[in-house]
Amino acid sequence: MTTPTALFYLFAAVLLFAAFRVITARSSVHAALYLVLAFFNASCVWMLLEAEFLAITLVLVYVGAVMVLFLFVVMMLDANLDRTRAGFWKHVPLAAGVGVVIAFEMAAVLLGGFRLSDAPAPSAEALSLGNTKLLGLALYTDYLYPLQIAAVLLLVAIIAAIALTLRRRKDSRYLNPGQQVRVKKADRLSILKVAPTVATPPSEAAASGPEGAAR
């Protein structure tokens, strides 16, 4: 067994273990950390396949940004998932059956792309360009319209997320920044004139107390 093959089996085994722990871990924080581990091992598999751009993108986008943000959100919410996971094992057989069907369908569609004997030999010019430039050329020429559609869908999702967060809730306090900026001193500060009151020192009051009572 060669070194790349051994590394592939090692990364694949860790990837499967991490993916299994994502859905079986009791703590949501542990599940997020296992998902980070799964993404990192998937990027290592991409590196073995000489797809450097996809590997770096997977690490930077998912591990470096999305998963870190998701982990912070999970830690800040401190959600109790015991009620959600109460019926987990009851749905395992159905979920496993659906997963097997999806795996077979993907294998039937994608298996032809892994037949290296039928793949055309790349030209010398394509080899000199590199994987990243070839991927960019294919993405912005052959798949330009699907890319634009995906970008529009992501833009709609971003706008919808912002709209959901900006809606007013009855159980939360709302501050209007415009009113805070336009506020004047007279609206916040009022000066009152109060007559001064001079109190008698305690020592003089104690000294004059019995004498005043005797007189």
Side-chain angles (χ1 to χ4, degrees):
M1 182 182 295
T2 59
T3 303
T5 305
L7 290 176
F8 172 79
Y9 282 113
L10 175 62
F11 294 143
V14 177
L15 174 60
L16 292 176
F17 170 75
F20 179 76
R21 288 296 297 162
V22 168
I23 61 175
T24 57
R26 292 184 176 274
S27 175
S28 56
V29 178
H30 293 172
L33 292 176
Y34 278 117
L35 190 56
V36 170
L37 180 62
F39 282 146
F40 182 77
N41 283 273
S43 66
C44 292
V45 173
W46 282 114
M47 289 291 290
L48 291 177
L49 295 175
E50 297 182 358
E52 299 86 1
F53 178 77
L54 295 178
I56 298 301
T57 304
L58 186 61
V59 172
L60 293 179
V61 176
Y62 287 93
V63 179
V66 177
M67 283 311 306
V68 173
L69 179 62
F70 177 73
L71 186 59
F72 273 106
V73 170
V74 168
M75 294 176 66
M76 286 188 296
L77 291 179
D78 194 16
N80 187 9
L81 299 180
D82 293 336
R83 183 179 301 177
T84 307
R85 295 178 180 273
F88 173 75
W89 295 106
K90 181 176 64 176
H91 302 289
V92 166
L94 178 61
V98 173
V100 170
V101 171
I102 293 175
F104 275 112
E105 290 178 350
M106 292 181 64
V109 174
L110 301 176
L111 194 59
F114 292 97
R115 296 172 183 171
L116 299 180
S117 59
D118 300 336
S123 61
E125 183 181 0
L127 292 176
S128 62
L129 292 177
N131 294 331
T132 305
K133 192 169 184 178
L134 288 175
L135 180 62
L137 290 175
L139 191 63
Y140 288 98
T141 54
D142 300 334
Y143 302 98
L144 180 60
Y145 290 114
L147 179 65
Q148 296 296 327
I149 294 173
V152 171
L153 291 178
L154 290 176
L155 179 61
V156 172
I158 293 173
I159 295 175
I162 295 174
L164 289 176
T165 56
L166 290 180
R167 63 179 181 179
R168 294 188 179 183
R169 296 174 52 184
K170 297 181 180 180
D171 56 345
S172 63
R173 296 181 179 180
Y174 175 76
L175 296 177
N176 191 351
Q179 295 179 358
Q180 290 182 335
V181 173
R182 291 191 301 267
V183 70
K184 298 180 180 180
K185 181 178 67 175
D187 300 333
R188 294 292 180 90
L189 179 64
S190 60
I191 301 176
L192 301 177
K193 293 184 178 181
V194 181
T197 302
V198 180
T200 305
S203 58
E204 296 181 3
S208 61
E211 296 177 359
R215 293 176 183 177

